[in-house]
Amino acid sequence: MSKLIQKDVRVADRVFFWVVKGSAGLLVLALGLMGFFLLKTSSEALHRFGFVGFLLETRWDPVQEIYGALPIIYGTLVSSFLSLLLAFPLSIGIALFLNEIASAKVSRLIGFFVEMLAAIPSVIYGLWGIFVLVPWLRSSVQPWFIKHLGFIPLFQGPAYGVGMFASGLILSLMILPTIASISKEIFASIPQSQRESALALGATRWEMMKLAVLKSSKAGLLGAMILGLGRALGETMAVTMVIGNRAQIVSSLFAPAQTMASVIANEYAEATSDIHLSSLALIGFILFLITFFTSALARLLVWRAK
């Protein structure tokens, strides 16, 4: 009887193992099929423009059927890195406060509000950007920068309100909870003995956080930053609503631009020609590759830190 029970247990374990392994394999298969579908759909654009030619072309003109990804990639990278520049220091400060300074009760309360930022739908951020952020930027913030720092190319041009600066601000709010949450977990993984050793050697509380916590978390913080970058690169609705949607390469942060995600959202439903659809699919394939390798690198760094 006991042998039959043991045999049934071994069979159940084996079935459970293959079910779990199959589920993981399905995820890999789905990811591969996505990439294959995008590559196959973009074959016409690849044949006409070539991959390198498509990347370096500066015009995106559906009327003339000339499609180039360079201004769209430029808008994506500028808005994403601007959001990182704004969100990363604030996220590290929040994570340090929650993990090293705040009491457990305060940490749970503020941590809940930080997590709520991640739960807000993208379209809500976009609506807030259109009705609150953009008018404020157009009437107050951008005119001040143009008046006092207009000699710098980054702050030249008319105050549209919409543009890369607005999209960078929106994205910084959206990626802040991601970076802050991962950074908090990385800080929590630092052994308490390192903090106590620094304090015992006469370090102040700030010196302890700087030497025992921040210095030991460099790889993990870099991974958290890259994960936030991956979120910013693929964001669609909120960016589409505030970036201005004009494919161009300009130095001013106040100018309208376009991202890879926003051009797909704006034009895919209206694309009628095969080459237009194929070019949008190629944009999607490039975005797929960028986000895949960005996220993979970030996960590798976070695992290394842990």
Side-chain angles (χ1 to χ4, degrees):
M1 187 71 175
S2 60
K3 290 183 178 180
L4 290 175
I5 294 174
Q6 290 177 357
K7 184 177 180 181
D8 291 341
V9 170
R10 286 196 297 268
V11 170
D13 287 344
R14 195 173 295 114
V15 170
F16 178 74
F17 171 77
W18 283 108
V19 168
V20 173
K21 190 174 182 179
S23 300
L26 284 175
L27 291 177
V28 177
L29 179 63
L31 194 64
L33 289 175
M34 287 182 194
F36 175 75
F37 165 77
L38 290 171
L39 185 61
K40 182 180 179 182
T41 309
S42 61
S43 59
E44 185 174 346
L46 284 171
H47 178 73
R48 177 181 293 192
F49 305 113
F51 189 74
V52 176
F54 185 78
L55 287 177
L56 299 180
E57 175 59 53
T58 58
R59 292 173 293 172
W60 183 273
D61 188 353
V63 177
Q64 302 293 329
E65 292 193 341
I66 299 174
Y67 300 100
L70 190 59
I72 298 169
I73 295 175
Y74 173 80
T76 304
L77 294 179
V78 170
S79 59
S80 298
F81 281 108
L82 177 61
S83 69
L84 269 184
L85 183 65
L86 297 172
F88 186 68
L90 184 58
S91 301
I92 300 303
I94 292 172
L96 279 176
F97 174 76
L98 295 179
N99 200 74
E100 306 294 331
I101 299 175
S103 63
K105 185 176 181 180
V106 173
S107 179
R108 285 194 299 269
L109 179 63
I110 297 180
F112 169 77
F113 286 111
V114 171
E115 292 171 0
M116 280 298 298
L117 286 175
I120 297 174
S122 175
V123 68
I124 303 300
Y125 280 107
L127 288 173
W128 176 79
I130 288 175
F131 293 112
V132 178
L133 181 64
V134 167
W136 178 60
L137 292 177
R138 183 171 55 241
S139 62
S140 301
V141 178
Q142 291 181 352
W144 187 91
F145 276 102
I146 293 170
K147 180 179 179 181
H148 295 89
L149 299 173
F151 57 91
I152 302 175
L154 291 175
F155 306 112
Q156 292 178 352
Y160 293 110
V162 296
M164 287 183 286
F165 189 69
S167 67
L169 289 175
I170 289 285
L171 284 174
S172 66
L173 287 175
M174 300 182 74
I175 67 175
L176 185 146
T178 300
I179 302 176
S181 298
I182 297 174
S183 300
K184 184 175 179 295
E185 293 298 322
I186 292 169
F187 294 155
S189 69
I190 302 297
Q192 187 63 27
S193 58
Q194 288 190 210
R195 299 174 175 84
E196 294 171 353
S197 299
L199 293 173
L201 291 172
T204 63
R205 197 170 191 180
W206 162 243
E207 289 172 336
M208 178 272 291
M209 288 189 286
K210 178 182 177 182
L211 298 174
V213 179
L214 288 174
K215 193 172 182 179
S216 303
S217 307
K218 286 182 180 179
L221 294 179
L222 180 60
M225 181 177 68
I226 297 176
L227 276 177
L229 176 62
R231 167 79 192 273
L233 288 170
E235 183 50 50
T236 305
M237 284 308 301
V239 174
T240 303
M241 298 169 77
V242 300
I243 200 169
N245 299 301
R246 186 187 300 170
Q248 58 180 357
I249 299 177
V250 291
S251 58
S252 176
L253 296 176
F254 301 152
Q258 205 159 29
T259 66
M260 289 184 279
S262 69
V263 72
I264 295 172
N266 275 325
E267 299 186 13
Y268 196 83
E270 300 176 358
T272 55
S273 65
D274 292 339
I275 187 61
H276 194 178
L277 288 169
S278 182
S279 298
L280 291 173
L282 187 51
I283 289 287
F285 181 69
I286 296 170
L287 180 59
F288 175 83
L289 292 178
I290 291 174
T291 52
F292 177 81
F293 287 109
T294 299
S295 299
L297 176 61
R299 288 294 179 188
L300 189 63
L301 291 170
V302 171
W303 289 337
R304 179 185 173 188
K306 287 186 177 182

